[in-house]
Amino acid sequence: MLQQIPPASRQDHLSYIHSHADSPWQTYLAQVDRVVPYLGPLARWAETLRRPKRALIVDVPIEMDDGSVRHFEGFRVQHNLSRGPGKGGVRYHPQVTLEEVMALAAWMTVKNAAVGLPYGGAKGGIRVDPTQLSIKELERMTRRYTSEIGIIIGPQQDIPAPDVNTNPQIMAWMMDTYSMNIGGTSTGVVTGKPVQLGGSLGRVKATGRGVFVTGREAARRIGLDLQGARVAVQGFGNVGGVAAELFADAGAKVVAVQDHTGGVYREDGLDVARLLAHVHERHGVAGFAGAQALAGEDFWGLDYEVLIPAALEGQLTETRARRTKARLVLEGANGPTLPAADDVLHDRGILVVPDVICNAGGVTVSYFEWVQDFSSFFWSEDEINARLEKILVGAFVSIWETSERLKVPLRTAAFVVACERVLEARAERGLYP
Ligand code: NAD
């Protein structure tokens, strides 16, 4: 039994943190501050949430096709391992920083616990614009990065997966490199692999499917009929593209889409299948025929009921939160809403389904993939989707009930459910030595 100890105050923070107030790491810390009052005696352990357990910075030198040598900065952060091995994706993006990866790793800790998966939280990334690399350069960079972080990853230690600008091919190279280095075939070291290499059916669409499933549950509770509901999606990649497709299949009208190349709008609803084909060919929504082009900020003030930010962090600012006419925000991306915007949305009665449950479909099917790899017994896609639905709806209901019981927004409720689990594990394991 834990003794009753008052909540710890925030201790002096990490010397290597220099970020501005709206950075992902500061956003995460503000979210932790909001949950501490609800943790009771477990608050004694709360400082553990504010520090990554382990952060590795690696140099990734590669030979370019023209014979020159370039160095890239790579990271792998294990935020918390109290409940199991680390789990979280790898991002290739020119703006990746250690602090961003720390925040993404921390959100994985919360997400895995909120959904009840037996994992801690981790994340990785390389500061690179992958569109500037040839396929061979991309492979060399991925392999060198995997070797460098090989000292802390492994099927029982930390299991990477895809995130922004990484995909099943990159996971195949990671699995192969790790396997070569240990002298065997270790399929369980990464998830999101191609199906013939121990990947799982349903993984590619799992995150978008989770956005749809949790969105449907939330819509029902606020009396929003998805049939004919207008939806806007920011980010039209693995998460946003699939979510848009599933909402359109359910009878909703996807009226606006924005990505890094621009925005498109059609009052009667965009043809999502055609837009996906266009993006596949042209690598962005810009130039899509049969839709109006949208100027950047216009996207936020349009008429729609459902807003799905599915691009990057910090997109939903206070100003945009004041402008939006949405009734429901579904966080496909990690950390898209700034804390000040969260307050505005709450005050305006707009329901936010937070990232840590909304986009948890991907890691849930990654968990299924890992389990299938260990047992070398593979499930059908129907089985995967049924189990995914069951886990996500169960997690959503418990967070919804916590939110009603404590009279707090869904994000705080999700953090309460998750942080209790993480800190109970922390307390039960005890401090070593
Ligand atoms: P992706 O690389 O497939 O797509 C990213 C999309 O965001 C692209 O359409 C890109 O054009 C758009 N984008 C980038 N910068 C933008 C900007 N400044 N403005 C507007 N759009 C911009 O990545 P993804 O896997 O779909 O990931 C998107 C988000 O979802 C990220 O926050 C990621 O962490 C999160 N997420 C992904 C997964 C997964 O399984 N892939 C799981 C959980 C959460």
Side-chain angles (χ1 to χ4, degrees):
M1 272 304 264
L2 283 170
Q3 356 162 211
Q4 195 82 22
I5 293 176
S9 59
R10 185 162 339 161
Q11 296 173 13
D12 281 348
H13 208 52
L14 305 165
S15 62
Y16 53 88
I17 293 299
H18 307 289
S19 50
H20 58 89
D22 287 343
S23 74
W25 180 246
Q26 298 299 338
T27 296
Y28 165 74
L29 290 180
Q31 293 167 351
V32 170
D33 285 347
R34 287 174 186 204
V35 79
V36 171
Y38 299 97
L39 294 178
L42 287 171
R44 171 175 191 249
W45 298 97
E47 188 62 20
T48 204
L49 300 168
R50 301 189 178 105
R51 293 162 182 263
K53 175 180 174 62
R54 190 175 283 140
L56 181 65
I57 304 175
V58 294
D59 177 33
V60 185
I62 61 159
E63 187 171 338
M64 306 299 283
D65 292 346
D66 66 5
S68 63
V69 175
R70 276 190 69 187
H71 291 250
F72 298 95
E73 221 173 291
F75 309 96
R76 185 74 190 170
V77 174
Q78 294 169 349
H79 172 260
N80 189 284
L81 304 180
S82 294
R83 300 182 62 258
K87 185 93 194 77
V90 173
R91 175 174 295 194
Y92 291 173
H93 195 275
Q95 262 111 46
V96 163
T97 61
L98 174 62
E99 290 183 41
E100 184 192 43
V101 179
M102 281 166 53
L104 292 166
W107 281 319
M108 289 310 297
T109 299
V110 178
K111 188 183 308 181
N112 291 329
V115 183
L117 306 179
Y119 291 130
K123 203 86 178 192
I126 304 182
R127 194 172 172 86
V128 59
D129 179 355
T131 63
Q132 302 302 308
L133 300 186
S134 71
I135 191 82
K136 280 288 159 202
E137 290 166 344
L138 191 65
E139 179 177 350
R140 286 198 286 275
M141 184 186 73
T142 300
R143 287 185 181 280
R144 181 60 188 253
Y145 169 72
T146 308
S147 266
E148 294 295 340
I149 65 166
I151 54 174
I152 61 167
I153 63 168
Q156 305 285 8
Q157 283 109 329
D158 179 2
I159 307 114
D163 189 69
V164 174
N165 291 327
T166 54
N167 57 29
Q169 173 62 77
I170 289 172
M171 295 305 114
W173 291 328
M174 291 187 76
M175 186 278 265
D176 183 69
T177 306
Y178 181 84
S179 295
M180 291 293 127
N181 287 345
I182 62 158
T185 293
S186 176
T187 51
V189 66
V190 291
T191 58
K193 300 179 294 292
V195 170
Q196 61 275 20
L197 296 179
S200 178
L201 296 170
R203 173 61 184 91
V204 172
K205 293 198 169 188
T207 308
R209 185 174 296 282
V211 173
F212 173 74
V213 168
T214 53
R216 182 197 64 206
E217 293 300 307
R220 197 152 53 79
R221 284 167 175 77
I222 59 168
L224 173 64
D225 188 356
L226 287 186
Q227 194 66 37
R230 292 165 298 179
V231 177
V233 187
Q234 189 205 34
F236 206 61
N238 180 262
V239 180
V242 173
E245 207 177 11
L246 294 175
F247 274 98
D249 288 351
K253 281 195 296 188
V254 178
V255 292
V257 172
Q258 187 188 57
D259 73 2
H260 73 288
T261 64
V264 289
Y265 174 74
R266 188 163 181 269
E267 199 181 338
D268 294 334
L270 297 155
D271 182 335
V272 175
R274 271 189 54 219
L275 185 58
L276 284 168
H278 174 89
V279 169
H280 187 67
E281 204 174 292
R282 307 269 290 271
H283 306 294
V285 299
F288 179 61
Q292 235 172 286
L294 265 183
E297 279 307 306
D298 292 352
F299 173 83
W300 304 96
L302 296 168
D303 288 320
Y304 43 73
E305 286 76 35
V306 183
L307 170 61
I308 307 179
L312 297 172
E313 305 90 48
Q315 292 296 305
L316 206 39
T317 59
E318 193 177 343
T319 313
R320 290 170 177 172
R322 285 191 199 289
R323 268 192 88 188
T324 187
K325 298 175 196 158
R327 291 178 60 194
L328 182 59
V329 175
L330 306 176
E331 292 189 336
N334 286 306
T337 310
L338 295 176
D342 244 349
D343 292 340
V344 170
L345 294 170
H346 183 66
D347 290 348
R348 294 186 59 211
I350 298 167
L351 182 65
V352 178
V353 181
D355 46 9
V356 292
I357 169 79
C358 192
N359 69 31
V363 71
T364 304
V365 176
S366 273
Y367 165 57
F368 298 160
E369 179 174 335
W370 184 72
V371 168
Q372 292 171 88
D373 286 341
F374 273 121
S375 58
S376 295
F377 179 75
F378 292 87
W379 314 343
S380 71
E381 190 157 356
D382 285 349
E383 213 172 337
I384 303 271
N385 289 342
R387 286 180 195 254
L388 172 64
E389 167 103 17
K390 195 169 168 211
I391 287 185
L392 285 185
V393 172
F396 182 90
V397 168
S398 94
I399 289 164
W400 183 270
E401 287 172 359
T402 303
S403 146
E404 293 206 314
R405 178 168 53 83
L406 299 177
K407 302 193 177 12
V408 293
L410 284 182
R411 188 185 319 280
T412 306
F415 268 66
V416 170
V417 169
C419 295
E420 279 180 358
R421 289 177 181 163
V422 173
L423 299 182
E424 266 165 25
R426 169 75 281 171
E428 281 161 0
R429 285 178 69 156
L431 281 182
Y432 171 85

Short mmCIF file of all heavy atoms in Angstrom, two decimals, residues 91 93 104 111 123 162-166 203 207 234-240 258-261 310-313 315 332-334 359-360 362-363, ligand 1:
data_model
loop_
_atom_site.label_atom_id
_atom_site.label_comp_id
_atom_site.label_asym_id
_atom_site.label_seq_id
_atom_site.Cartn_x
_atom_site.Cartn_y
_atom_site.Cartn_z
N ARG A 91 10.14 8.87 -37.33
CA ARG A 91 9.74 9.97 -38.22
C ARG A 91 10.94 10.48 -39.00
O ARG A 91 12.01 10.70 -38.42
CB ARG A 91 9.14 11.10 -37.36
CG ARG A 91 8.80 12.34 -38.14
CD ARG A 91 8.09 13.35 -37.26
NE ARG A 91 6.78 12.87 -36.79
CZ ARG A 91 5.85 13.63 -36.24
NH1 ARG A 91 6.08 14.92 -36.08
NH2 ARG A 91 4.70 13.12 -35.84
N HIS A 93 11.82 13.78 -41.00
CA HIS A 93 11.27 15.10 -41.31
C HIS A 93 12.36 16.14 -41.05
O HIS A 93 13.12 16.01 -40.08
CB HIS A 93 10.04 15.37 -40.44
CG HIS A 93 9.20 16.51 -40.91
ND1 HIS A 93 9.48 17.82 -40.57
CD2 HIS A 93 8.11 16.56 -41.71
CE1 HIS A 93 8.58 18.61 -41.14
NE2 HIS A 93 7.74 17.88 -41.84
N LEU A 104 6.81 13.06 -28.54
CA LEU A 104 6.12 11.97 -29.24
C LEU A 104 6.26 10.65 -28.46
O LEU A 104 5.32 9.86 -28.39
CB LEU A 104 6.66 11.85 -30.67
CG LEU A 104 6.32 13.03 -31.58
CD1 LEU A 104 7.18 13.01 -32.86
CD2 LEU A 104 4.84 13.04 -31.96
N LYS A 111 -0.57 6.86 -24.58
CA LYS A 111 -1.47 6.16 -25.50
C LYS A 111 -1.51 4.66 -25.20
O LYS A 111 -2.59 4.07 -25.09
CB LYS A 111 -0.97 6.40 -26.93
CG LYS A 111 -1.88 5.89 -28.01
CD LYS A 111 -1.26 6.11 -29.39
CE LYS A 111 -0.83 7.55 -29.57
NZ LYS A 111 -0.24 7.79 -30.91
N LYS A 123 9.91 6.69 -29.18
CA LYS A 123 9.77 7.28 -30.52
C LYS A 123 11.16 7.53 -31.08
O LYS A 123 12.13 7.67 -30.32
CB LYS A 123 9.00 8.61 -30.43
CG LYS A 123 8.32 9.02 -31.73
CD LYS A 123 6.95 8.41 -31.88
CE LYS A 123 6.26 8.86 -33.16
NZ LYS A 123 4.84 8.49 -33.17
N PRO A 162 6.19 2.64 -38.28
CA PRO A 162 6.16 3.81 -39.16
C PRO A 162 5.52 5.04 -38.51
O PRO A 162 4.68 4.93 -37.62
CB PRO A 162 5.29 3.36 -40.35
CG PRO A 162 5.14 1.89 -40.22
CD PRO A 162 5.29 1.57 -38.77
N ASP A 163 5.97 6.20 -38.94
CA ASP A 163 5.33 7.47 -38.58
C ASP A 163 5.46 8.35 -39.84
O ASP A 163 5.55 7.81 -40.96
CB ASP A 163 6.01 8.10 -37.35
CG ASP A 163 5.24 9.31 -36.80
OD1 ASP A 163 4.14 9.13 -36.26
OD2 ASP A 163 5.71 10.45 -36.94
N VAL A 164 5.49 9.65 -39.67
CA VAL A 164 5.51 10.56 -40.83
C VAL A 164 6.72 10.23 -41.73
O VAL A 164 7.86 10.15 -41.26
CB VAL A 164 5.57 12.04 -40.37
CG1 VAL A 164 5.74 12.98 -41.54
CG2 VAL A 164 4.31 12.37 -39.58
N ASN A 165 6.44 10.04 -43.01
CA ASN A 165 7.45 9.77 -44.05
C ASN A 165 8.21 8.46 -43.88
O ASN A 165 9.29 8.29 -44.46
CB ASN A 165 8.47 10.92 -44.16
CG ASN A 165 7.84 12.18 -44.72
OD1 ASN A 165 6.94 12.10 -45.54
ND2 ASN A 165 8.30 13.33 -44.26
N THR A 166 7.70 7.54 -43.11
CA THR A 166 8.28 6.19 -43.08
C THR A 166 7.16 5.20 -43.39
O THR A 166 5.98 5.50 -43.20
CB THR A 166 8.95 5.85 -41.73
OG1 THR A 166 8.00 6.07 -40.68
CG2 THR A 166 10.17 6.70 -41.47
N ARG A 203 -2.78 -3.44 -40.91
CA ARG A 203 -1.95 -2.46 -40.21
C ARG A 203 -1.93 -1.12 -40.94
O ARG A 203 -2.00 -0.07 -40.29
CB ARG A 203 -0.51 -2.99 -40.05
CG ARG A 203 0.49 -1.96 -39.48
CD ARG A 203 0.10 -1.49 -38.09
NE ARG A 203 0.96 -0.44 -37.56
CZ ARG A 203 0.77 0.87 -37.69
NH1 ARG A 203 -0.26 1.33 -38.41
NH2 ARG A 203 1.58 1.74 -37.14
N THR A 207 -4.59 3.05 -38.28
CA THR A 207 -4.68 4.33 -37.56
C THR A 207 -5.90 5.11 -38.05
O THR A 207 -6.69 5.63 -37.25
CB THR A 207 -3.38 5.14 -37.73
OG1 THR A 207 -2.28 4.31 -37.38
CG2 THR A 207 -3.39 6.36 -36.82
N GLN A 234 -6.94 17.74 -42.29
CA GLN A 234 -5.62 18.33 -42.54
C GLN A 234 -4.58 17.22 -42.48
O GLN A 234 -4.47 16.53 -41.46
CB GLN A 234 -5.26 19.40 -41.51
CG GLN A 234 -4.01 20.15 -41.92
CD GLN A 234 -3.25 20.77 -40.76
OE1 GLN A 234 -3.21 20.23 -39.67
NE2 GLN A 234 -2.62 21.91 -41.02
N GLY A 235 -3.83 17.03 -43.56
CA GLY A 235 -2.90 15.91 -43.64
C GLY A 235 -3.61 14.78 -44.33
O GLY A 235 -4.63 14.27 -43.83
N PHE A 236 -3.11 14.41 -45.52
CA PHE A 236 -3.82 13.40 -46.31
C PHE A 236 -2.87 12.24 -46.60
O PHE A 236 -2.75 11.78 -47.72
CB PHE A 236 -4.32 14.06 -47.61
CG PHE A 236 -5.51 13.39 -48.21
CD1 PHE A 236 -6.70 13.29 -47.52
CD2 PHE A 236 -5.45 12.85 -49.50
CE1 PHE A 236 -7.81 12.67 -48.09
CE2 PHE A 236 -6.55 12.24 -50.08
CZ PHE A 236 -7.73 12.15 -49.37
N GLY A 237 -2.17 11.79 -45.55
CA GLY A 237 -1.25 10.67 -45.70
C GLY A 237 -1.87 9.41 -45.17
O GLY A 237 -3.08 9.17 -45.33
N ASN A 238 -1.06 8.61 -44.51
CA ASN A 238 -1.51 7.32 -44.01
C ASN A 238 -2.72 7.47 -43.09
O ASN A 238 -3.67 6.70 -43.17
CB ASN A 238 -0.33 6.65 -43.28
CG ASN A 238 -0.72 5.30 -42.74
OD1 ASN A 238 -1.04 5.16 -41.57
ND2 ASN A 238 -0.72 4.30 -43.59
N VAL A 239 -2.71 8.47 -42.24
CA VAL A 239 -3.79 8.63 -41.26
C VAL A 239 -4.99 9.38 -41.87
O VAL A 239 -6.11 8.87 -41.90
CB VAL A 239 -3.29 9.36 -39.99
CG1 VAL A 239 -4.41 9.53 -38.98
CG2 VAL A 239 -2.12 8.62 -39.37
N GLY A 240 -4.73 10.59 -42.37
CA GLY A 240 -5.81 11.43 -42.88
C GLY A 240 -6.50 10.83 -44.10
O GLY A 240 -7.73 10.91 -44.23
N GLN A 258 -6.45 19.61 -46.60
CA GLN A 258 -5.25 20.44 -46.71
C GLN A 258 -4.03 19.56 -46.44
O GLN A 258 -4.05 18.73 -45.54
CB GLN A 258 -5.30 21.55 -45.66
CG GLN A 258 -4.20 22.58 -45.79
CD GLN A 258 -4.19 23.55 -44.62
OE1 GLN A 258 -4.08 23.15 -43.48
NE2 GLN A 258 -4.32 24.83 -44.91
N ASP A 259 -2.99 19.76 -47.25
CA ASP A 259 -1.71 19.09 -46.93
C ASP A 259 -0.57 20.07 -47.16
O ASP A 259 -0.81 21.28 -47.29
CB ASP A 259 -1.55 17.77 -47.71
CG ASP A 259 -1.27 17.98 -49.19
OD1 ASP A 259 -1.15 19.16 -49.64
OD2 ASP A 259 -1.14 16.98 -49.91
N HIS A 260 0.68 19.57 -47.20
CA HIS A 260 1.81 20.50 -47.28
C HIS A 260 1.89 21.20 -48.64
O HIS A 260 2.64 22.14 -48.80
CB HIS A 260 3.13 19.79 -46.96
CG HIS A 260 3.60 18.87 -48.04
ND1 HIS A 260 2.97 17.66 -48.31
CD2 HIS A 260 4.61 18.97 -48.93
CE1 HIS A 260 3.60 17.07 -49.31
NE2 HIS A 260 4.59 17.84 -49.71
N THR A 261 1.10 20.74 -49.63
CA THR A 261 1.15 21.39 -50.95
C THR A 261 0.02 22.40 -51.15
O THR A 261 0.02 23.14 -52.13
CB THR A 261 1.06 20.34 -52.08
OG1 THR A 261 -0.23 19.68 -52.01
CG2 THR A 261 2.16 19.31 -51.98
N ALA A 310 -4.66 15.78 -39.04
CA ALA A 310 -3.92 14.51 -39.18
C ALA A 310 -2.57 14.77 -39.87
O ALA A 310 -2.13 13.98 -40.70
CB ALA A 310 -4.75 13.50 -39.97
N ALA A 311 -1.95 15.92 -39.51
CA ALA A 311 -0.64 16.24 -40.11
C ALA A 311 0.43 16.25 -39.02
O ALA A 311 0.98 15.21 -38.69
CB ALA A 311 -0.71 17.57 -40.85
N LEU A 312 0.66 17.43 -38.43
CA LEU A 312 1.76 17.54 -37.46
C LEU A 312 1.27 18.18 -36.17
O LEU A 312 0.10 18.53 -36.04
CB LEU A 312 2.89 18.37 -38.06
CG LEU A 312 3.57 17.77 -39.30
CD1 LEU A 312 4.54 18.76 -39.91
CD2 LEU A 312 4.29 16.47 -38.97
N GLU A 313 2.19 18.38 -35.22
CA GLU A 313 1.84 18.97 -33.93
C GLU A 313 1.52 20.47 -34.07
O GLU A 313 1.95 21.12 -35.02
CB GLU A 313 3.00 18.87 -32.94
CG GLU A 313 3.56 17.49 -32.71
CD GLU A 313 4.68 17.16 -33.66
OE1 GLU A 313 5.59 17.96 -33.83
OE2 GLU A 313 4.60 16.08 -34.27
N GLN A 315 -0.94 22.44 -34.72
CA GLN A 315 -1.68 23.06 -35.82
C GLN A 315 -2.92 23.82 -35.35
O GLN A 315 -3.29 24.84 -35.89
CB GLN A 315 -2.09 22.00 -36.85
CG GLN A 315 -0.92 21.41 -37.58
CD GLN A 315 -0.21 22.45 -38.41
OE1 GLN A 315 -0.82 23.12 -39.25
NE2 GLN A 315 1.07 22.63 -38.17
N GLY A 332 -6.23 12.96 -35.32
CA GLY A 332 -5.49 11.91 -36.03
C GLY A 332 -4.00 12.07 -35.80
O GLY A 332 -3.26 11.11 -35.63
N ALA A 333 -3.51 13.32 -35.82
CA ALA A 333 -2.08 13.60 -35.57
C ALA A 333 -1.80 13.48 -34.08
O ALA A 333 -2.71 13.48 -33.25
CB ALA A 333 -1.74 15.00 -36.05
N ASN A 334 -0.51 13.42 -33.75
CA ASN A 334 -0.10 13.50 -32.35
C ASN A 334 0.12 14.96 -31.99
O ASN A 334 0.81 15.68 -32.71
CB ASN A 334 1.21 12.72 -32.17
CG ASN A 334 0.97 11.22 -32.21
OD1 ASN A 334 0.14 10.70 -31.47
ND2 ASN A 334 1.69 10.53 -33.07
N ASN A 359 -5.91 8.21 -32.30
CA ASN A 359 -5.03 7.60 -33.31
C ASN A 359 -4.34 6.34 -32.78
O ASN A 359 -3.33 5.90 -33.33
CB ASN A 359 -4.02 8.63 -33.85
CG ASN A 359 -2.98 9.07 -32.82
OD1 ASN A 359 -2.61 8.30 -31.94
ND2 ASN A 359 -2.51 10.29 -32.95
N ALA A 360 -4.94 5.73 -31.75
CA ALA A 360 -4.32 4.54 -31.14
C ALA A 360 -4.55 3.26 -31.95
O ALA A 360 -4.03 2.20 -31.60
CB ALA A 360 -4.84 4.35 -29.71
N GLY A 362 -3.33 2.44 -34.82
CA GLY A 362 -2.09 1.97 -35.43
C GLY A 362 -1.28 1.13 -34.46
O GLY A 362 -0.86 0.01 -34.78
N VAL A 363 -1.08 1.66 -33.27
CA VAL A 363 -0.25 0.91 -32.32
C VAL A 363 -0.98 -0.34 -31.83
O VAL A 363 -0.36 -1.34 -31.49
CB VAL A 363 0.25 1.82 -31.15
CG1 VAL A 363 -0.86 2.20 -30.20
CG2 VAL A 363 1.37 1.11 -30.40
P1 NAD B 1 2.24 10.78 -43.64
O1 NAD B 1 3.66 11.08 -43.92
O2 NAD B 1 1.63 9.58 -44.29
O3 NAD B 1 1.32 12.05 -43.99
C1 NAD B 1 1.55 13.31 -43.43
C2 NAD B 1 0.57 14.27 -44.07
O4 NAD B 1 0.69 15.55 -43.44
C3 NAD B 1 0.84 14.49 -45.55
O5 NAD B 1 -0.39 14.56 -46.25
C4 NAD B 1 1.52 15.87 -45.57
O6 NAD B 1 1.31 16.56 -46.78
C5 NAD B 1 0.80 16.56 -44.42
N1 NAD B 1 1.53 17.72 -43.92
C6 NAD B 1 2.83 17.81 -43.58
N2 NAD B 1 3.13 19.06 -43.21
C7 NAD B 1 1.99 19.78 -43.32
C8 NAD B 1 1.64 21.14 -43.08
N3 NAD B 1 2.55 22.00 -42.66
N4 NAD B 1 0.36 21.53 -43.30
C9 NAD B 1 -0.57 20.67 -43.75
N5 NAD B 1 -0.30 19.37 -43.99
C10 NAD B 1 0.96 18.93 -43.79
O7 NAD B 1 2.14 10.69 -42.04
P2 NAD B 1 1.06 9.93 -41.18
O8 NAD B 1 1.62 8.59 -40.84
O9 NAD B 1 -0.29 10.04 -41.82
O10 NAD B 1 1.09 10.78 -39.84
C11 NAD B 1 0.33 11.97 -39.65
C12 NAD B 1 0.16 12.23 -38.17
O11 NAD B 1 -0.44 11.09 -37.56
C13 NAD B 1 1.46 12.46 -37.40
O12 NAD B 1 1.19 13.36 -36.34
C14 NAD B 1 1.76 11.09 -36.82
O13 NAD B 1 2.59 11.16 -35.67
C15 NAD B 1 0.37 10.64 -36.48
N6 NAD B 1 0.23 9.20 -36.34
C16 NAD B 1 0.58 8.33 -37.32
C17 NAD B 1 0.39 6.98 -37.12
C18 NAD B 1 0.67 5.95 -38.19
O14 NAD B 1 0.36 4.77 -37.98
N7 NAD B 1 1.20 6.32 -39.34
C19 NAD B 1 -0.13 6.50 -35.91
C20 NAD B 1 -0.50 7.41 -34.93
C21 NAD B 1 -0.32 8.76 -35.16
#
